[in-house]
Amino acid sequence: MFKTCQEASSDVKGIGEDIRAYHPQLWREGKWKDIYKDLKIETKVNVNIVRSGSIR
């Protein structure tokens, strides 16, 4: 998902807001859309199945 969004220069998850708040030096380097395209994004997913069973 992130790769597709990066190719379209679309920051749908609002990563730019976090970069501007917590990494201002990266934000000031240039135009965010250009930086976002080349940014390496690593994700970590933790899933907790609360209930399983059949669906009627």
Side-chain angles (χ1 to χ4, degrees):
M1 178 193 106
F2 283 116
K3 190 67 172 169
T4 303
C5 290
Q6 283 178 298
E7 290 170 0
S9 294
S10 178
D11 186 9
V12 295
K13 293 298 290 176
I15 295 171
E17 296 294 323
D18 289 336
I19 296 296
R20 185 171 44 179
Y22 300 110
H23 304 282
Q25 71 283 358
L26 181 60
W27 182 261
R28 286 188 223 112
E29 279 185 20
K31 293 185 178 183
W32 172 242
K33 287 189 176 190
D34 295 333
I35 294 171
Y36 181 67
K37 281 185 173 185
D38 299 324
L39 195 64
K40 182 178 178 185
I41 299 174
E42 294 182 18
T43 58
K44 184 176 180 181
V45 178
N46 185 9
V47 177
N48 183 14
I49 299 174
V50 176
R51 186 200 280 174
S52 65
S54 63
I55 299 174
R56 292 183 194 189

